[in-house]
């Protein structure tokens, strides 16, 4: 229960000032406690609840005299008891409390209600239930006290907030605004701010405008003139305030073409500001890209971006023919149709294409008009050997305005003369039409120009086709697919253009294949790097790393096998040769597709990196339960595969004269050999075990790797010279990395107890060093009694008869540290 009370506190306490009010909860003003917790305390006035009211007469603690005595003796001046007299009188054990009830009844202090007197109005009223208490805690009459603002309090009678600080007065303000003298239009509790009365003001520019009285920064919105901007030539109507400020810019849409090809939607003025700053346009283009990809589909990536950022096409492949359809995503390379080509003429020419359906047609185009009749009864407007179009494309029906030609009769079919379908006169010498799969129709002359058909065939002086042009001389891997002038869809389904369209399709497939190879090789290379990084983590699980590397190895083998086969253009070339031999025709390979080899070097290089990775993983994560010799054999097997792949890469690079590719391969292989040489130093297989098994020792293998490194091209070894030298010293046992002082102290402390707790024995110092300065210890008395080999450099260490071998001496630095430890 919340209530508002007046606070009388000092400002020094950081609390509310005198006469202010605050909202407090009831438990902050009245103490609530059980009888047991209130024992030993007292209060001016106590309100007691017996907490007992039931039909069975159970009174609980009320029948315990000492607890009842405590409860009834806590008040100084006044005590109110609330409870059920009927329940107490029903319990024979509550004798003391029953006597008290009798005493209260005799004095007239027992009843079903309490009289309350209003402090504000003097009204007396009785309460016997919670519903008798008014919400504000008073007598229920309206307060009607006059607030400081002069308005009457609108609350019902309330014992709290007698100064009427809260809540705020919500009456209409009765004051006037000092600046203008108008009546204040705010509510009473709000300050009289800027006047809100609307008046007509005379502005400095001479115009008048209606606004709030208290608003002083008024902009004149009167249109004063139309301004023609010299930069763009647009006419813009300018408001007075903008003309006065000099901030006049063209607000028309720019509309100029951005570099991406879309129209700029920024304002013309902002673009001119951007141009003064060296930019072409303001802001960035938010349109979907829409660029035509090499496959003929538009790029759907949004927002607009540079041409190099267009992702691979996710549309369904459109490389379809009469025999089959491709159901792959467009970005994936697909095979060409291997069925026989269906392009045949029914006229006297009897022209036939003998190549596969997916190959550029080798036969000559036929210019004879089709003699078949459409469903409408008129002659077909297309060419011999083509599919007859629907009757909606009948030129005669379109010219006559026949029903059904509403959507086709006005199509522009002649790009040169801009003639519509209805305007053609095929009998008068106009060119026949061809209908594309997209539904748009064009004249043969128009489509011959779009597809550049004369480039694909040789012709005589009188315009007769004589022979196909050699594709190897005029097609390249960058060839694009010809498209419809109206909707930009590829010009598919027209047999006349089988040679240019199919050639373009094949080269698009070749380009998609090369893109796929590059993306796939990048993904696999990333996976290989992640495996190597995970393998070098100290706590990585060996079995998981092995399975991971095996899975990648499987994927790499599939990738290399797929790329090592013929490229799409090579496959088509082989199909063409087979068809020519089958039909025993006179066509020569020069008239067929130009085969482009695939990026085999890229695939082989991925394989090289993969098996280099598997070799390194076998070195640093070997966890099989067999002996060390098996590990060395496994390493050797993977190393041989890596070497074979390296040789394959070099051969491919040499055949194609790819000097950059050769350098890249050599660099990868050199890095692998260095890594393998260093990691082999961690393999612990005793030399005796290797000798018994007829295998080279780890040291011999590492030295062989160094020798192979030295045999690589000079431009590679020069780059890796420092790393090769370091690996060679490590392999030969000549590389010694200096220990830090802290590491030396830790070594001495660790060995101290094993050496009898002293730096020197009875026959000399425990700490010695080999001829190359590598430290070692001698136990017991400190005098050497056996000869051994230094594990770092393989020099002789120890000695006989308490005499050190030649070149061995006391390790004074370690000896000093040991003597210091003795004194601790």
């Amino acid at each position: 229960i919340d209530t508002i009370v007046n606070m009388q506190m000092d400002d020094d306490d950081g609390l509310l000032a005198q006469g202010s009010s605050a909202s407090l909860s009831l438990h902050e003003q009245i103490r609530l406690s059980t009888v047991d917790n209130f024992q030993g305390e007292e209060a001016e006035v106590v309100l007691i609840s017996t907490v007992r009211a039931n039909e069975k007469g159970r009174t609980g603690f009320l029948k315990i005299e000492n607890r009842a005595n405590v409860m009834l003796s806590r008040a100084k001046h006044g005590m109110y008891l609330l409870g059920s007299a009927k329940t107490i009188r029903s319990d024979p054990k509550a004798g003391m409390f029953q006597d008290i009830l009798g005493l209260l009844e005799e004095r007239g202090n027992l009843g079903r209600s309490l009289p309350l007197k209003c402090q504000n109005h003097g009204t007396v009223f009785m309460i016997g239930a919670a519903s008798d208490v008014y919400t504000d805690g008073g007598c229920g009459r309206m307060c009607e006290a006059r607030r400081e603002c002069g308005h009457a309090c609108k609350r019902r009678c309330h014992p709290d907030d007698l100064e009427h600080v809260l809540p705020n007065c919500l009456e209409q303000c009765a004051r006037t605004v000092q600046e203008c003298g108008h009546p204040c239009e705010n509510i009473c509790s709000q300050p009289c701010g800027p006047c809100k009365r609307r008046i007509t003001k005379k502005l400095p520019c001479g115009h008048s405008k209606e606004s709030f009285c208290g608003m002083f920064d008024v902009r004149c919105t009167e249109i004063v003139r139309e301004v023609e901007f010299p930069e763009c030539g647009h006419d813009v109507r300018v408001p007075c305030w903008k003309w006065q400020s000099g901030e006049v810019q063209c607000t028309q849409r720019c509309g100029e073409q951005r570099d991406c090809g879309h129209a700029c939607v920024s304002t013309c003025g902002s673009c001119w500001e951007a141009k003064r700053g060296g930019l072409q346009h303001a802001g960035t283009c938010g349109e979907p890209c829409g660029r035509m990809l090499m496959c003929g589909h538009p790029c759907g990536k949004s927002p607009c971006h540079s041409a190099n950022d267009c992702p691979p096409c996710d549309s369904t492949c459109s490389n379809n023919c009469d025999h089959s359809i491709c159901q792959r995503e467009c970005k994936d390379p697909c095979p060409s149709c291997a069925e026989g080509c269906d392009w045949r003429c029914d006229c006297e020419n009897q022209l036939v294409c003998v190549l596969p359906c997916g190959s550029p047609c080798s036969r000559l185009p036929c210019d004879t008009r089709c003699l078949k009749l459409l469903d409408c009864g008129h002659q077909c407007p297309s060419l011999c050997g083509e599919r007859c179009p629907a009757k909606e494309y009948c030129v005669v029906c379109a010219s006559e305005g026949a029903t059904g030609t509403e959507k086709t009769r006005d199509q522009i079919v002649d790009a040169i003369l801009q003639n519509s379908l209805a305007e053609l006169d095929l009998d008068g010498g106009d060119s026949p039409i061809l209908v594309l799969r997209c539904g748009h129709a064009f004249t043969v002359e128009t489509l011959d120009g779009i597809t550049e058909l004369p480039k694909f065939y040789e012709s005589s002086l009188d315009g007769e086709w004589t022979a196909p042009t050699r594709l190897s001389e005029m097609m390249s891997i960058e060839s694009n697919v010809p498209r419809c002038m109206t909707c930009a869809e590829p010009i598919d389904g027209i047999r006349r253009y089988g040679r240019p369209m199919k050639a373009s399709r094949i080269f698009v497939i070749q380009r998609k294949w090369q893109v796929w190879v590059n993306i796939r090789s990048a993904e696999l290379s990333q996976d290989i790097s992640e495996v190597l990084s995970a393998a070098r983590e100290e706590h990585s699980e060996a079995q998981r790393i092995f399975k991971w590397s095996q899975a990648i190895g499987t994927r790499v083998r599939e990738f290399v096998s797929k790329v090592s086969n013929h490229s799409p253009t090579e496959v088509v070339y082989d199909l063409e040769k087979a068809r020519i031999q089958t039909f025993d025709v006179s066509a020569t390979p020069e008239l067929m597709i130009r085969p482009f080899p695939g990026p085999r070097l890229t695939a082989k290089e991925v394989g090289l990196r993969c098996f280099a990775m598997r070799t390194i993983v076998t070195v640093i994560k070997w966890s099989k339960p067999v002996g060390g010799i098996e590990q060395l054999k496994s390493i050797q097997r993977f190393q041989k595969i890596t070497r074979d792949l390296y040789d394959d890469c070099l051969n491919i690079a040499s055949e194609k004269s790819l000097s950059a590719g050769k350098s890249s391969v050599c660099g990868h292989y050199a890095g692998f050999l260095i890594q393998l040489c260093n990691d082999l130093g961690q393999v612990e297989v005793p030399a005796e075990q290797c000798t018994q098994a007829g295998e080279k020792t780890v040291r011999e293998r590492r030295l062989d790797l160094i020798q192979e490194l030295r045999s690589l091209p000079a431009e590679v070894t020069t780059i890796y010279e420092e790393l090769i030298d370091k690996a060679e010293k490590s392999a030969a046992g000549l590389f010694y990395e200096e220990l830090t002082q802290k590491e030396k102290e830790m070594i001495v402390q660790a060995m101290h107890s094993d050496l009898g707790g002293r730096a020197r024995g009875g026959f000399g110092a425990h700490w010695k060093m080999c001829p190359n300065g590598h430290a070692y210890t001698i136990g017991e008395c400190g005098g050497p009694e056996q000869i051994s080999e230094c594990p770092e450099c393989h020099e002789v260490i120890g000695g006989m008869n308490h005499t050190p071998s030649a070149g061995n001496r006391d390790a004074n630095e370690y000896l000093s540290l040991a003597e210091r430890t003795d004194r601790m």
Side-chain angles (χ1 to χ4, degrees):
I1 302 174
D2 290 336
T3 184
I4 300 172
V5 298
N6 287 73
M7 307 292 292
Q8 303 292 332
M9 300 182 181
D10 297 332
D11 289 337
D12 295 340
D13 295 332
L15 301 174
L16 295 170
Q18 183 174 354
S20 61
S21 298
S23 178
L24 302 175
S25 61
L26 190 61
H27 75 82
E28 295 179 271
Q29 306 171 68
I30 297 177
R31 179 176 178 185
L32 182 66
S33 176
T34 63
V35 173
D36 291 340
N37 289 341
F38 209 66
Q39 188 170 353
E41 301 186 46
E42 55 185 13
E44 299 290 330
V45 178
V46 176
L47 281 75
I48 300 172
S49 172
T50 61
V51 207
R52 291 294 183 272
N54 55 75
E55 298 293 335
K56 297 181 179 180
R58 294 177 180 176
T59 57
F61 78 95
L62 297 180
K63 60 179 175 285
I64 303 174
E65 293 186 359
N66 62 333
R67 298 184 72 185
N69 181 54
V70 171
M71 180 179 71
L72 299 172
S73 60
R74 299 301 96 194
K76 290 183 180 181
H77 303 299
M79 177 177 66
Y80 295 87
L81 283 170
L82 291 91
S84 172
K86 180 181 178 181
T87 301
I88 295 173
R89 284 172 175 161
S90 300
D91 188 356
K93 295 181 181 180
M96 177 182 174
F97 227 101
Q98 291 175 0
D99 294 340
I100 293 172
L101 288 179
L103 182 61
L104 292 174
E105 191 171 19
E106 290 177 5
R107 296 181 179 182
N109 293 330
L110 186 65
R112 293 184 176 276
S113 60
L114 291 174
L116 296 181
K117 182 178 181 179
C118 177
Q119 300 177 39
N120 297 330
H121 301 101
T123 307
V124 178
F125 58 97
M126 306 297 289
I127 62 168
S131 58
D132 296 334
V133 181
Y134 292 99
T135 305
D136 286 330
C139 63
R141 291 175 54 184
M142 296 302 296
C143 177
E144 296 179 346
R146 186 176 294 119
R147 304 173 65 103
E148 285 293 326
C149 60
H151 294 118
C153 177
K154 299 299 182 181
R155 293 178 64 189
R156 290 191 178 273
C157 179
H158 52 91
D160 60 347
D161 191 21
L162 299 179
E163 298 294 332
H164 291 84
V165 178
L166 297 173
N168 294 330
C169 181
L170 301 178
E171 296 296 315
Q172 178 68 43
C173 181
R175 300 181 296 273
T176 58
V177 181
Q178 293 182 358
E179 290 80 6
C180 61
H182 291 138
C184 178
E185 297 184 11
N186 294 335
I187 61 174
C188 184
S189 57
Q190 292 178 336
C192 297
C195 181
K196 296 182 180 178
R197 176 169 291 189
R198 297 191 70 84
I199 63 172
T200 300
K201 289 188 174 184
K202 191 75 171 179
L203 303 180
C205 61
H207 298 120
S208 297
K209 183 178 180 181
E210 186 181 275
S211 68
F212 291 119
C213 176
M215 183 182 292
F216 298 101
D217 185 17
V218 181
R219 288 183 170 183
C220 180
T221 55
E222 189 78 18
I223 301 297
V224 293
R225 63 171 61 194
E226 288 190 359
V227 179
E228 180 179 345
F229 292 91
E231 296 94 343
C232 58
H234 292 143
D235 293 334
V236 179
R237 302 181 70 193
V238 180
C240 180
W241 73 268
K242 185 168 285 191
W243 178 258
Q244 296 290 338
S245 67
E247 301 175 2
V248 182
Q249 280 190 348
C250 179
T251 56
Q252 294 285 345
R253 181 174 173 177
C254 174
E256 291 186 3
Q257 192 177 51
R258 290 179 173 269
D259 291 339
C260 59
H262 296 125
C264 177
V265 297
S266 301
T267 62
C268 191
S270 61
C271 284
W272 277 103
E273 286 293 327
K275 289 177 181 178
R276 294 186 187 99
L279 301 175
Q280 184 184 17
H281 289 281
T284 57
C285 181
E287 297 290 326
C289 176
R291 288 185 180 88
M292 283 297 170
L293 304 177
M294 60 181 177
C295 57
H297 296 126
C299 174
K301 184 179 178 181
S302 183
C304 188
H305 47 268
S306 65
N308 294 331
D309 293 333
C310 289
C313 183
D314 291 329
S315 302
T316 302
C317 182
S318 58
N319 186 21
N320 305 325
C321 66
D322 295 337
H323 306 103
S324 59
I325 60 174
C326 179
Q327 297 179 333
R328 304 184 187 186
E329 287 188 337
C330 190
K331 62 186 176 184
D332 296 329
C334 57
S336 298
C337 180
E339 302 289 342
C341 181
D342 293 336
W343 189 19
R344 291 175 173 79
C345 281
D346 296 329
C347 64
E348 59 185 11
N349 296 325
Q350 296 293 309
L351 297 173
V352 177
C353 177
V354 299
L355 294 180
C357 176
S359 298
C361 294
S362 60
R363 58 153 280 185
L364 300 177
C366 180
D367 295 333
T368 303
R369 184 179 171 184
C370 179
L371 298 177
K372 297 177 182 178
L373 300 180
L374 301 180
D375 293 341
C376 61
H378 299 120
Q379 185 180 351
C380 174
S382 190
L383 292 176
C384 174
E386 302 292 343
R387 300 177 190 85
C388 294
K391 63 180 180 180
E392 288 80 5
Y393 294 93
C394 175
V395 175
V396 178
C397 292
S399 63
E400 294 175 352
T403 303
T405 62
E406 293 83 358
K407 296 182 179 180
T408 58
R409 67 175 67 138
D410 294 327
Q411 277 193 26
I412 300 299
V413 295
D414 192 325
I416 300 174
L417 301 178
Q418 292 295 297
N419 288 333
S420 65
L421 181 67
E423 295 173 332
L424 288 182
D425 182 9
L426 300 185
D427 295 332
D430 285 345
S431 175
I433 66 167
L434 296 170
V435 181
L436 309 182
R437 283 182 179 172
C438 60
H440 297 116
F442 296 96
T443 61
V444 172
E445 290 180 352
T446 299
L447 291 177
D448 284 357
I450 295 174
T451 58
E452 298 182 317
L453 191 66
K455 289 186 177 181
F456 290 83
Y457 294 97
E458 297 176 359
S459 59
S460 62
L461 295 177
D462 56 0
E464 294 290 332
W465 305 111
T466 58
T469 305
R470 295 183 179 182
L471 293 176
S472 60
E473 295 180 357
M474 45 80 61
M475 290 296 290
S476 71
I477 199 64
E478 301 299 326
S479 300
N480 291 315
V481 178
R483 299 184 177 94
C484 171
M485 293 175 57
T486 304
C487 64
E489 287 289 320
I491 299 177
D492 287 328
I494 304 299
R495 293 167 177 167
R496 179 182 180 86
Y497 306 115
R499 189 164 181 79
M501 288 301 302
K502 293 177 181 179
S504 299
R505 283 288 188 192
I506 291 172
F507 287 113
V508 166
I509 294 173
Q510 178 79 11
R511 288 161 65 186
K512 289 196 293 185
W513 187 69
Q514 290 184 335
V515 170
W516 177 84
V517 170
N518 293 336
I519 293 176
R520 190 65 174 156
S521 64
E523 292 173 348
L524 291 172
S525 297
Q526 178 65 28
D527 291 343
I528 291 168
S529 300
E530 290 177 1
V531 171
L532 283 173
S533 298
R536 295 196 179 279
E537 293 178 2
E538 183 177 355
H539 302 293
S540 60
E541 185 182 348
Q543 195 62 28
R544 182 181 70 87
I545 299 298
F546 273 114
K547 288 183 178 179
W548 191 4
S549 65
Q550 289 171 354
I552 293 177
T554 301
R555 289 160 52 201
V556 168
R557 279 194 295 269
E558 293 173 354
F559 172 71
V560 173
S561 175
K562 186 171 183 178
V563 178
S564 297
N565 292 330
H566 292 318
S567 70
T569 51
E570 291 174 319
V571 171
V572 172
Y573 185 77
D574 288 343
L575 290 173
E576 290 177 343
K577 288 196 299 183
R579 293 279 297 184
I580 288 174
Q581 293 174 2
T582 300
F583 286 90
D584 192 23
V585 295
S586 60
T588 59
E590 287 77 10
L591 300 180
M592 299 184 297
I593 197 72
R594 175 186 175 188
F596 287 90
R600 296 188 183 91
L601 180 58
T602 301
K604 290 285 186 178
E605 202 166 344
V606 173
L608 168 65
R609 293 190 62 189
C610 174
F611 282 93
M613 173 269 294
R614 296 199 66 183
T615 307
I616 299 300
V617 167
T618 305
V619 173
I620 63 180
K621 280 292 178 184
W622 182 264
S623 62
K624 294 184 179 180
V626 294
I629 292 296
E630 292 302 318
Q631 180 184 8
L632 290 179
K633 290 181 179 179
S634 183
I635 293 170
Q636 186 175 0
R637 183 173 67 255
F638 283 131
Q639 186 181 349
K640 183 181 183 305
I641 296 174
T642 308
R643 174 70 202 201
D644 292 342
L645 285 167
Y646 168 68
D647 292 337
D648 289 345
C649 290
L650 287 185
N651 292 334
I652 295 173
S654 299
E655 290 173 5
K656 306 300 180 185
S657 300
L658 302 173
S659 57
K662 183 176 181 180
S663 299
S664 174
V665 170
C666 291
H668 282 313
Y669 192 62
F672 158 68
L673 293 178
I674 294 172
Q675 205 171 25
L676 178 60
C677 182
N678 291 331
D679 289 335
L680 273 176
Q682 308 301 319
V683 176
E684 298 181 0
V685 182
E688 297 81 3
Q689 188 177 352
C690 294
T691 303
Q692 293 173 1
E695 297 286 336
K696 289 186 177 181
T697 63
V698 173
R699 184 168 181 267
E700 290 171 339
R701 291 170 184 265
R702 297 179 71 191
L703 292 175
D704 288 345
L705 291 174
I706 297 299
Q707 185 176 358
E708 188 172 3
L709 273 167
R710 296 292 187 191
S711 66
L712 295 179
E715 61 267 21
V716 176
T717 55
T718 301
I719 297 174
Y720 293 99
E721 186 64 37
E722 184 177 349
L723 293 175
I724 295 174
D725 288 343
K726 187 175 181 179
E728 186 173 17
K729 290 180 180 179
S730 175
L734 301 176
F735 181 74
Y736 182 74
E737 187 173 353
E738 188 67 28
L739 294 173
T740 65
Q741 186 67 19
K742 182 67 175 177
E743 290 172 334
K744 293 176 181 178
E745 293 173 358
M746 292 172 64
I747 292 172
V748 170
Q749 290 176 3
M751 296 293 296
H752 190 62
S753 59
D754 293 341
L755 298 175
R758 298 184 60 81
R760 296 178 182 271
F763 286 89
H766 287 296
W767 292 88
K768 296 286 192 291
M769 64 172 55
C770 76
N772 289 323
H774 301 134
Y776 66 94
T777 61
I778 298 177
E780 298 180 350
C781 64
E785 283 295 326
Q786 67 180 37
I787 294 175
S788 185
E789 183 181 274
C790 176
E792 297 287 343
C793 63
H794 308 291
E795 286 284 350
V796 176
I797 59 174
M800 295 297 295
N801 301 320
H802 296 170
T803 302
S805 298
N808 287 254
R809 58 194 184 280
D810 289 349
N812 294 324
E813 184 178 4
Y814 286 92
L815 188 59
S816 299
L817 293 175
E819 290 174 342
R820 190 185 309 162
T821 304
D822 289 347
R823 294 192 293 269
M824 293 176 61

